[in-house]
Amino acid sequence: QVQLVESGGGLVQAGGSLRLSCAASGIFVSINAMGWYRQAPGKQRELVAEISRGGTTDYADSVKGRFTISRDNANNTVALQMNSLKPEDTAVYYCRTYSITSRGFTTDWGQGTRVTVSS
């Protein structure tokens, strides 16, 4: 199983920046895609950004041009640089991985880190 620990959330004013980090640990063969999701109060969890092991990225339209996802395969980490933050970016952000373990293909979630953007 893959354990994920996120960090970097907090309170920021609109227009500001935050950087989220997620570190994966545990016993696994490899981590394929890594991604960030978010869930705002009263809303469904949604994809924010995802990155393949080879570096191919995908972003939600609402964050394109403002957020950048990156990963370090050697250290099994993924980061989300968030710039020009808006109040509507307020949510709990979750790290997600798609991995190959002894059980086969698995997906795991972090515990979430809260991001609050004040207007």
Side-chain angles (χ1 to χ4, degrees), residues 61-83:
D61 288 342
S62 60
V63 307
K64 283 181 180 177
R66 300 188 298 121
F67 291 10
T68 301
I69 189 170
S70 60
R71 66 185 287 174
D72 181 342
N73 291 334
N75 293 302
N76 297 311
T77 59
V78 62
L80 185 69
Q81 177 66 42
M82 305 185 294
N83 298 327

Side-chain angles (χ1 to χ4, degrees), residues 15-16 28:
F28 47 85

Side-chain angles (χ1 to χ4, degrees), residues 13-72:
Q13 288 187 332
S17 299
L18 281 175
R19 183 177 178 85
L20 305 182
S21 296
C22 174
S25 63
I27 300 174
F28 47 85
V29 176
S30 67
I31 296 178
N32 296 337
M34 305 181 82
W36 289 94
Y37 287 68
R38 67 187 180 187
Q39 187 165 17
K43 295 187 177 181
Q44 289 190 329
R45 192 172 297 187
E46 62 176 2
L47 172 70
V48 176
E50 196 167 81
I51 184 168
S52 71
R53 186 170 182 81
T56 300
T57 57
D58 186 32
Y59 294 93
D61 288 342
S62 60
V63 307
K64 283 181 180 177
R66 300 188 298 121
F67 291 10
T68 301
I69 189 170
S70 60
R71 66 185 287 174
D72 181 342

